[in-house]
């Protein structure tokens, strides 16, 4: 790995309309696959397919620090407040944990095949890694073309404590993986997320159904069903009431976590929806799509509040800052766009 000390940065303020003043941050290369805000909302970090992990000042968009990893970065997430950690994954299977402030790498290990996503539990005691692995000859005989796993690790010692195997031929989704599965690594983004209590973990990218694992009962709960095509991304609201899913079927869904019932289907995008993010107060949901837009919805009323434009390319990732003051998104045009929520939301 090489450390880069580059203090030049490019920040452009673009007024798309009287209601949309956009901060455009340039510096990434290739697809911006993942972004994350620090717990104090002062820093935003972006990871791209060329292996650049870049830390930016969230209030100005200026570059703070840049790390060239040499590997395609597929996800980046901060730990909960107090731990001071950051975790990122690379397409070549590497999982890296560093101190968020000093950027000192304290742990690096490999899942050997392709790693797509890593996230800490709400209490920070665990983290999960979503990855794929080539099938064995026995798997191939059963018709399995790729294996999907989520490993659970103890944060204190980084030790793996549980492996969740998601490929199951008893589920109709288990037979959906064809020769064109890896048309593009980002189209097969495979993520996971913990509920706010850490009692369950949900995963995307297993076809049209969403696996939910219960740590309390040590088994999978009934799947969430309702999408007509692959689920790319899942995320839980901070209040613990909702889960959102983003799908290739051009819809996002919001689910009642208690009952597992769909309470809302969001229609309006005209291409694959790659990711979604709840606002910190759980009132709003943002969705990022290949239709080159981010849409923000009011959760309780289903109302589409605003459509954010300016990407002119696929939008891959979207996040709210923990203090709710900003929303940022990145995509295949090598830039991160950011807005102040006070100027685009009620």
């Amino acid at each position: 790995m090489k450390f880069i000390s580059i203090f030049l940065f490019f920040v452009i303020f673009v007024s798309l309309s009287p209601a949309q003043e956009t901060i455009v941050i340039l510096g990434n290369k290739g697809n911006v696959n993942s972004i994350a805000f620090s717990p104090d909302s002062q820093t935003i970090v972006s990871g791209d397919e060329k292996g650049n992990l870049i830390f930016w000042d969230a209030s100005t968009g200026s570059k703070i620090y840049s790390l060239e990893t040499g590997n395609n970065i597929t996800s980046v997430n901060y730990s909960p407040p107090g731990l001071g950690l950051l975790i990122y994954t690379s397409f070549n299977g590497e999982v890296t944990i560093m101190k968020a402030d000093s950027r000192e790498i304290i742990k690096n290990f490999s899942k050997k095949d392709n790693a797509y996503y890593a996230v800490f539990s709400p209490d920070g005691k665990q983290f999960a890694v979503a990855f794929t692995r080539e099938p064995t000859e026995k798997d191939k005989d059963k018709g399995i073309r790729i294996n999907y796993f989520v490993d659970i690790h103890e944060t204190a010692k980084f030790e793996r404590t549980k492996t969740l195997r998601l490929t199951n031929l008893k589920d109709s989704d288990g037979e959906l993986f064809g020769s064109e599965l890896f048309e593009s690594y980002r189209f097969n983004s495979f993520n996971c997320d913990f509920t706010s209590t850490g009692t369950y973990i949900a995963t995307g990218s297993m076809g049209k159904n969403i696996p939910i694992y219960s740590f309390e009962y040590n088994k999978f709960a009934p799947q969430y069903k309702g999408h007509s095509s692959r689920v790319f991304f899942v995320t839980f609201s901070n209040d613990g009431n909702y889960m959102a899913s983003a799908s290739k079927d051009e819809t996002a869904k919001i689910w009642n976590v208690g009952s597992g019932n769909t309470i809302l289907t969001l229609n309006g995008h005209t291409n694959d929806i790659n990711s979604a993010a709840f606002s910190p107060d759980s009132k709003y949901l943002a969705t990022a799509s290949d239709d080159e837009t981010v849409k923000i919805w009011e959760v309780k009323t289903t109302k589409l509040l605003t459509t954010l434009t300016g990407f002119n390319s696929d939008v891959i990732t979207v996040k709210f800052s923990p203090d709710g003051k900003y929303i940022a998104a990145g995509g295949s045009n090598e830039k991160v766009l950011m807005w102040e929520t006070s100027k685009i939301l009620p």
Side-chain angles (χ1 to χ4, degrees), residues 29-336:
K29 300 297 182 183
N31 295 331
V32 180
N33 295 317
S34 188
I35 56 177
F37 283 92
S38 60
D40 62 7
S41 301
Q42 294 183 11
T43 304
I44 182 171
V45 61
S46 56
D48 65 41
E49 71 169 313
K50 301 300 183 181
N52 299 297
L53 190 71
I54 306 178
F55 296 77
W56 313 87
D57 184 307
S59 62
T60 65
S62 60
K63 183 183 290 186
I64 300 171
Y65 182 84
S66 182
L67 170 64
E68 186 178 278
T69 71
N71 297 310
N72 182 344
I73 297 173
T74 51
S75 76
V76 57
N77 278 299
Y78 280 89
S79 67
L83 284 182
L85 301 176
L86 181 141
I87 190 169
Y88 68 90
T89 56
S90 302
F91 189 58
N92 68 347
E94 287 192 5
V95 181
T96 304
I97 300 175
M98 64 168 57
K99 292 181 180 179
D101 291 338
S102 67
R103 275 82 63 176
E104 175 191 353
I105 293 175
I106 58 176
K107 185 66 176 180
N108 179 271
F109 58 92
S110 178
K111 292 300 179 184
K112 299 186 189 297
D113 285 300
N114 303 127
Y116 287 92
Y117 202 82
V119 64
F120 288 96
S121 62
D123 62 8
K125 293 181 179 180
Q126 300 181 99
F127 64 88
V129 181
F131 64 101
T132 57
R133 182 163 293 166
E134 290 295 318
T136 63
E137 290 303 318
K138 186 176 180 180
D139 290 332
K140 291 178 182 179
D141 291 342
K142 293 180 179 179
I144 296 175
R145 293 170 176 83
I146 197 74
N147 284 310
Y148 280 62
F149 295 93
V150 172
D151 274 354
I152 309 298
H153 291 256
E154 179 187 351
T155 304
K157 298 180 180 179
F158 308 111
E159 293 179 352
R160 180 172 55 86
T161 59
K162 188 182 296 292
T163 295
L164 307 178
R165 177 173 174 144
L166 303 175
T167 310
N168 183 357
L169 283 179
K170 293 181 180 179
D171 185 333
S172 59
D173 286 342
E175 299 175 349
L176 291 179
F177 310 125
S179 60
E180 300 302 314
L181 176 66
F182 289 106
E183 55 188 315
S184 165
Y185 67 89
R186 72 168 186 80
F187 289 150
N188 297 279
S189 57
F190 171 34
N191 93 307
C192 55
D193 197 26
F194 292 90
T195 56
S196 60
T197 61
T199 308
Y200 295 90
I201 189 169
T203 72
S205 204
M206 261 303 294
K208 60 185 180 294
N209 299 332
I210 302 170
I212 309 286
Y213 184 82
S214 168
F215 291 101
E216 181 181 2
Y217 297 104
N218 293 317
K219 64 179 183 180
F220 283 95
Q223 293 186 336
Y224 285 9
K225 299 181 179 182
H227 282 289
S228 61
S229 189
R230 297 193 60 189
V231 176
F232 290 139
F233 199 89
V234 294
T235 185
F236 288 97
S237 61
N238 285 341
D239 65 8
N241 293 326
Y242 310 113
M243 184 190 77
S245 54
S247 173
K248 188 177 176 64
D249 66 13
E250 301 180 5
T251 72
K253 292 184 182 292
I254 298 177
W255 309 78
N256 183 309
V257 171
S259 65
N261 295 324
T262 310
I263 61 172
L264 177 63
T265 297
L266 304 176
N267 294 290
H269 283 292
T270 57
N271 210 324
D272 300 354
I273 304 178
N274 296 311
S275 62
F278 283 101
S279 60
D281 59 10
S282 305
K283 291 182 179 180
Y284 309 111
L285 181 75
T287 51
S289 172
D290 282 354
D291 67 9
E292 304 183 358
T293 70
V294 168
K295 293 183 182 293
I296 304 180
W297 318 77
E298 190 172 50
V299 170
K300 288 188 176 180
T301 66
T302 80
K303 182 181 179 181
L304 175 61
L305 298 177
T306 188
T307 297
L308 303 175
T309 59
F311 294 94
N312 300 318
S313 65
D314 301 344
V315 191
I316 300 171
T317 178
V318 63
K319 290 287 178 63
F320 282 92
S321 62
D323 62 7
K325 292 183 178 180
Y326 301 100
I327 183 172
S332 59
N333 58 0
E334 302 189 341
K335 61 187 177 183
V336 175

